[in-house]
Amino acid sequence: MRSEQEVNRAVECYADMVLRLCMVYLKHPQDAEDVFQSVFLKYTLSDKSFESEEHEKAWLIRVTANACKDSLKNLFRRCTVPLEEAADCVTEMSEEQSRVWQAVRELPKDYREVIYLHFYEGYTAPEIAGILRKNPNTVYTHLRRAKELLRERLGGVADEE
Amino acid sequence: MKNDLQKAFDAVQADERLKRRTKAYLRRATLDYGRDTQRRRQRQTRMVSCAAAVMLMVMGAGMWLLPVTSIDLDINPSLELRVNTFGRVTELKGMNADGLALVDSLNVKGMRYDDAMQRILISEPLEPYLEDGSLISITVVGKDESLAEQMLSNVVCRAYAIAEEDNIFYCQTDPETARAARRVGLCVLRYQVWQQLKEKDPSITVEAVALMPKAEVMALAKFEKLENPCGE
């Protein structure tokens, strides 16, 4: 088990990223918070040593993605979709930001994760494939389709990479 | 769109309340990062140590009280010193009427067995018995042969300093032989003489040996050319 000091550092460093990923996958903020806490509990109890901060970050992304997918499989998960209820976790959003979030959350879940990891965390498709242990071609496909869907819903040019 | 996405994602941030709740949850879930477990373990260790200490004390007390060897001193008064594993006298018993009469006046409990033997032999009540050249027989009874031998050597040395060597007879034996002697009503010395005499003359009875004066027993033993029953 890791020390409290080490865990607190990880919470401070990665809380935003883990929460965003949870929000990308899960519609209810309480589910997101449950998964958020379970990810850090897993981190606390894990004895895995990381070669670098990048390695640690990638591990947390994979653990969060898997925990969210497990939560989605739970038949008893909450099914309501009130983004507004996430006020605890979300700083005040402009109308435009809410519209973008809504568009992202309406994407199929495999598209949501790659959109976040690519556009926000800046990972390339092969890197995302490595982290999520997916075929790079699949990631490329998901990215392309996600951009197309977002372009349809939000308008504008998707490829501003 | 990239900028819009980044701004939208930026809007989601884990606030301090969520972080605090999470840290509190992790402390609970890990029992304060094992500190509870550590404290519990320390408590358990302390309890086990205390229990072990109590057990050691009980065992120590048991070992102190439990005699592992006995020393029979037979002059006319017949006495038995029971000795624990630490070589200390746990009990002094009178084995005949004269012995019983002496027990209360001889305070040797807790003393080393050889010191106790010396104190008994120089004690006032025993003086009259030793003055007339009485034969002294000393028998050490114990399971541990080498320990019994060592003890016998130590007590005989003390006896030599007080009485005539020729009047002192001694031997060591195991508890089984001592019990057999007790069953037929003889002291170990007489029992061993009887056993050896019986080999030459099976008609010799226990009663005959029991009634013989000690000097006669020893004389008979010499007459029969038996080895000294004490192994000397």
Side-chain angles (χ1 to χ4, degrees), chain B:
Chain B
M1 191 175 73
K2 184 182 178 184
N3 284 341
D4 291 342
L5 280 167
Q6 282 177 339
K7 281 177 191 166
F9 287 130
D10 262 338
V12 174
Q13 285 178 1
D15 70 0
E16 288 308 313
R17 275 182 301 172
L18 176 62
K19 289 180 195 172
R20 270 201 307 277
R21 281 202 299 271
T22 302
K23 288 173 187 173
Y25 162 77
L26 294 174
R27 271 196 297 275
R28 282 196 310 278
T30 58
L31 296 174
D32 203 9
Y33 290 88
R35 281 191 279 270
D36 270 9
T37 314
Q38 207 177 343
R39 277 196 289 270
R40 209 163 42 237
R41 276 196 195 130
Q42 280 170 350
R43 267 202 304 276
Q44 280 171 350
T45 306
R46 273 200 297 273
M47 282 170 67
V48 168
S49 304
C50 284
V54 168
M55 223 159 90
L56 277 172
M57 284 169 68
V58 170
M59 281 169 67
M63 283 171 79
W64 182 269
L65 295 171
L66 187 75
V68 292
T69 44
S70 66
I71 303 170
D72 293 344
L73 174 65
D74 190 31
I75 306 171
N76 165 32
S78 188
L79 298 164
E80 183 187 87
L81 288 92
R82 295 195 166 178
V83 181
N84 66 17
T85 193
F86 307 106
R88 300 283 168 169
V89 177
T90 60
E91 194 180 2
L92 176 66
K93 290 178 77 175
M95 303 305 285
N96 61 8
D98 289 345
L100 283 168
L102 283 177
V103 166
D104 289 341
S105 61
L106 297 167
N107 183 22
V108 292
K109 211 168 170 182
M111 288 178 73
R112 260 187 65 90
Y113 63 92
D114 42 2
D115 292 339
M117 178 62 74
Q118 186 173 322
R119 177 176 286 189
I120 292 168
L121 290 173
I122 62 174
S123 67
E124 207 175 325
L126 271 178
E127 249 178 64
Y129 297 102
L130 293 174
E131 272 174 1
D132 62 2
S134 292
L135 297 177
I136 300 172
S137 78
I138 299 168
T139 310
V140 175
V141 180
K143 264 186 191 173
D144 185 335
E145 203 174 314
S146 62
L147 174 68
E149 191 177 344
Q150 180 62 47
M151 289 175 69
L152 184 67
S153 162
N154 289 343
V155 292
V156 166
C157 279
R158 298 297 181 101
Y160 277 178
I162 296 157
E164 287 293 324
E165 284 187 25
D166 288 345
N167 293 341
I168 301 168
F169 298 91
Y170 50 86
C171 65
Q172 69 177 80
T173 190
D174 57 278
E176 185 50 50
T177 306
R179 275 195 292 274
R182 210 167 293 136
R183 273 199 296 273
V184 295
L186 295 177
C187 68
V188 172
L189 187 76
R190 282 176 189 270
Y191 178 78
Q192 290 193 339
V193 168
W194 178 51
Q195 291 295 301
Q196 292 185 62
L197 287 175
K198 261 203 323 183
E199 285 177 16
K200 303 282 179 187
D201 179 7
S203 66
I204 288 186
T205 62
V206 176
E207 291 74 20
V209 176
L211 290 171
M212 283 178 192
K214 193 182 287 175
E216 196 178 334
V217 172
M218 301 316 297
L220 185 60
K222 280 174 190 163
F223 180 75
E224 291 292 335
K225 294 185 179 158
L226 293 173
E227 282 180 21
N228 187 308
C230 300
E232 208 179 37

Side-chain angles (χ1 to χ4, degrees), chain A residues 12 20 89 91 101 120 160, chain B residues 1 8-11 13 23:
Chain A
E12 293 300 331
R20 285 182 196 120
C89 321
T91 57
W101 253 109
Y120 192 82
E160 296 170 28
Chain B
M1 191 175 73
F9 287 130
D10 262 338
Q13 285 178 1
K23 288 173 187 173

Side-chain angles (χ1 to χ4, degrees), chain A residues 78-125:
Chain A
R78 299 162 184 88
C79 298
T80 50
V81 198
L83 186 60
E84 300 73 26
E85 280 186 21
D88 242 16
C89 321
V90 180
T91 57
E92 209 168 316
M93 277 191 186
S94 67
E95 202 177 315
E96 179 58 18
Q97 286 167 347
S98 291
R99 197 172 68 90
V100 173
W101 253 109
Q102 200 61 42
V104 171
R105 286 154 68 94
E106 282 169 2
L107 292 172
K109 72 171 166 54
D110 289 343
Y111 295 3
R112 280 181 251 156
E113 63 190 9
V114 294
I115 281 291
Y116 171 73
L117 292 174
H118 178 70
F119 282 110
Y120 192 82
E121 298 294 345
Y123 287 112
T124 63

Side-chain angles (χ1 to χ4, degrees), chain A:
Chain A
M1 183 162 58
R2 294 177 202 280
S3 70
E4 184 171 15
Q5 196 182 8
E6 196 180 353
V7 173
N8 287 346
R9 178 200 57 82
V11 171
E12 293 300 331
C13 282
Y14 300 112
D16 291 344
M17 179 193 78
V18 172
L19 182 66
R20 285 182 196 120
L21 261 174
C22 291
M23 297 289 287
V24 161
Y25 280 100
L26 304 166
K27 294 179 176 175
H28 198 285
Q30 193 56 55
D31 287 337
E33 183 171 332
D34 289 349
V35 172
F36 178 87
Q37 293 184 339
S38 75
V39 167
F40 283 107
L41 179 60
K42 189 160 188 181
Y43 175 84
T44 305
L45 299 177
S46 167
D47 289 327
K48 188 173 179 62
S49 57
F50 301 107
E51 293 154 14
S52 61
E53 281 187 15
E54 271 308 305
H55 184 204
E56 185 179 50
K57 183 179 175 183
W59 185 86
L60 278 164
I61 290 171
R62 185 165 57 250
V63 167
T64 307
N66 289 338
C68 288
K69 286 170 190 170
D70 287 345
S71 177
L72 288 170
K73 285 178 203 162
N74 184 350
L75 290 175
F76 299 104
R77 72 191 164 83
R78 299 162 184 88
C79 298
T80 50
V81 198
L83 186 60
E84 300 73 26
E85 280 186 21
D88 242 16
C89 321
V90 180
T91 57
E92 209 168 316
M93 277 191 186
S94 67
E95 202 177 315
E96 179 58 18
Q97 286 167 347
S98 291
R99 197 172 68 90
V100 173
W101 253 109
Q102 200 61 42
V104 171
R105 286 154 68 94
E106 282 169 2
L107 292 172
K109 72 171 166 54
D110 289 343
Y111 295 3
R112 280 181 251 156
E113 63 190 9
V114 294
I115 281 291
Y116 171 73
L117 292 174
H118 178 70
F119 282 110
Y120 192 82
E121 298 294 345
Y123 287 112
T124 63
E127 285 170 338
I128 295 170
I131 292 169
L132 299 177
R133 293 181 179 159
K134 285 186 173 178
N135 186 323
N137 290 333
T138 309
V139 176
Y140 275 120
T141 307
H142 287 169
L143 253 182
R144 184 172 46 78
R145 288 184 185 160
K147 285 176 196 172
E148 285 168 6
L149 284 170
L150 283 177
R151 197 185 303 122
E152 278 173 23
R153 288 166 193 179
L154 299 172
V157 184
D159 278 327
E160 296 170 28
E161 297 161 65

